[in-house]
Structure formats: structure tokens, C-alpha cells
Amino acid sequence: MTVMQTTTAAPTQQPDRTPADICSAPPRRHPRPEGQDHYTISEVVAFTGLTAHTLRWYERIGLMSHIDRSHTGQRRYSNRDLDWLDFVTKLRLTGMPVADMVRYAELVREGETTYPDRRELLEQTRRDVVSRIAELHDTLSVLDRKISFYETGGN
Amino acid sequence: MTVMQTTTAAPTQQPDRTPADICSAPPRRHPRPEGQDHYTISEVVAFTGLTAHTLRWYERIGLMSHIDRSHTGQRRYSNRDLDWLDFVTKLRLTGMPVADMVRYAELVREGETTYPDRRELLEQTRRDVVSRIAELHDTLSVLDRKISFYETGGN
DNA sequence: TATGACCTTGGAGTGCACTCGAAGCAAGCG
DNA sequence: CGCTTGCTTCGAGTGCACTCCAAGGTCATA
């Protein structure tokens, strides 16, 4: 894939505008440093594994806030957008419905006053994940019982 | 190594008619003993939590083999059917597509010669479950990081 | 300047796993 | 006998999360 260079490097990027957007960012190394983070949609496809269709759809439904555009209207994703996508991907792995993720995104956009709501939402999600893990362990033991049956009886 | 029934055994439990149908049955206590296990669909709904529609649909797509009928054509589910539904529910929890479950059901119907295929299918499923659990643990740590951020910064 | 890969949009389509509806038959009860 | 409840069938509808399409504009390289 030809990684297009985004030569439109904004010279004056003010440092760290909204810490509320990505709270407690994970230890991720970004492909490019702040100031040069103007990724095309195909670059983001390469980084995240999501399709371009899905990325545009996320934006349309409000799961991502408005993405910067080049002077010709093409999307230019930032490092923060990448962080957000990482987080969203994690949430998706938990089985959280997209509508709930949108709800969370809205809370983020509303600012710091929604910290308690966000925490509650994440804690509920956490509980769901924990019980999901328990379910899977349970399933695992059923599978193991059957597999050991087939191992001894089936060969 | 056949798994023995664990404790509180039913008084007159028949010695395992068709081992091919439910291999290595889980330690489940049935609502009624063998011989009286002719459950109506609404009873099965109560036991399993599935809807009557779903139960009929399972039968239609081949996820369940033919269910016994009363003289008037109504379904009468057996204890073995209940066991199978339990197992299917477990498989569903793993996220296995229904088509794959149908494939497994077909293998069961084909008899003992498919033991190796069944084992392979279950082992693949097991691998999927294990990696899913790992993913969820990963997600859990991300959630915990964010939650602790909101705990300290958000109140 | 021309090529071809890449980008834009809104809306329509897909696949999965149910979920429901309509029309009709059968059993039990006052 | 009428009523209610529960069962039957097939086929159509739902909700989710994408996924794709058509028509057209943009961009770097030859």
C-alpha cells in the first residue's frame, strides 16, 4: 500500500488541547509525533484494521467527533483519533453495543461534568466483562469434558 | 474415560442409551426422570429461557434433530433434548456461529465415525474461547485504568 | 497531461440470529 | 357449546453492525 505523505504539516500545533477526550491514554506509541499526525483514512485503515467504510460510518453515527479535513475535504486523523479508535475497539471487544459507545462519546463531548456518568458506564461494562469471563471459563470446562471424551473414545 | 455422574444421582437413571447424541453429558439434573421426560415446548421455554419460536427455528435449521411428537403432532422434548440445548447454549456463549453448530449437529447425526472431526471442531472452539478470555482480560485492564482516572480526577 | 490509485457522499444492501404474525387445529373447562 | 390456552406452519419483519455502490472529485507520479 502506498502510504501517502501528508505534506500539510501544520507548523503550530498547540500543546494538548483537550485532556478530557482521551482520559488516561494507554501506553501506545503513535506512528508519527504530535504535529505530524495527519493520517489519511487509508493509513488509519492500516493501523487499526478497520475498513474505511467503517471509519466513515463511525463518524456519521457520532462514535467519533468530527475529524479534521484537508483543504480539499479529505479526512486527516490525529493521534488522539487513533487513541480513541483503540479504546473503541476495546469496548467493542467487550460486546458493548455501538449505541452505548455513542452514548459514552457524547458524554466525553459534554466535558468534565460527565465524569461520574462515564465512570458508572465503564464500571457497568467492567461488571459485564467479568461475568462474561466467568461464563467463558464455564464453557471451557464443558468443552474440555467433551474433548477428553472424544480423545479416549474416538480414536 | 467416561465422566461419571456427580452426586445426587437420579434413582432410576438408565445406563446411557445413545452415547453418540450427548457425549459426556454434563452433570445436569433433569426436571423429570427418564420415561417421564415428555416436555411440552412451553416447559422447555421455562427450563432453557429460549423462546418457543427459537426452539422451532433450531429444529428447522437442523440444529436439533427431529423432536418426538404427541399423537396430535405437538412437540415432546426429552431429557436428551434438554442436554443438547444446554450444550448448544454453551456453544452460543462462545460466539460460535449457528452454522457451525449445525455442522456439529450433523456430525453427531452421522455417528461415531465423526469423532475426530468433532474433536477438532471443539478444539478449535476451545482455542477461540481461550484467546477471547485473554482479550477480555486485556480490555479489563484498559477499563480499570480509565475507571481509576475517573475516580481520582472526576470527584 | 494522463493515468490510476485514493478520496468524497448518501443511500441502499447484506448477513446473522432471531422474532413476530396470521391462520388454523386441538384440548380442557364451566 | 363457547371460551381460553397452547400448539402448528410458513413466511415476513426486526435490529444490529457493518458493507457496498455509484458517481464524481483529488493527488502523486510518468
Side-chain angles (χ1 to χ4, degrees), chain A residues 93 104 126 132 144 150, chain B residues 93 104 126 132 144 150 154:
Chain A
L93 284 179
Y104 184 84
R126 189 188 196 289
R132 184 95 185 83
D144 285 340
Y150 286 134
Chain B
L93 284 179
Y104 184 84
R126 188 189 197 287
R132 184 93 185 85
D144 285 341
Y150 287 133

Side-chain angles (χ1 to χ4, degrees), chain A residues 59 64-69 74-78 81:
Chain A
E59 195 179 338
M64 304 207 65
S65 47
H66 183 75
I67 304 296
D68 281 350
R69 301 300 177 116
Q74 297 191 350
R75 288 171 182 80
R76 293 292 179 262
Y77 291 82
S78 69
D81 295 328

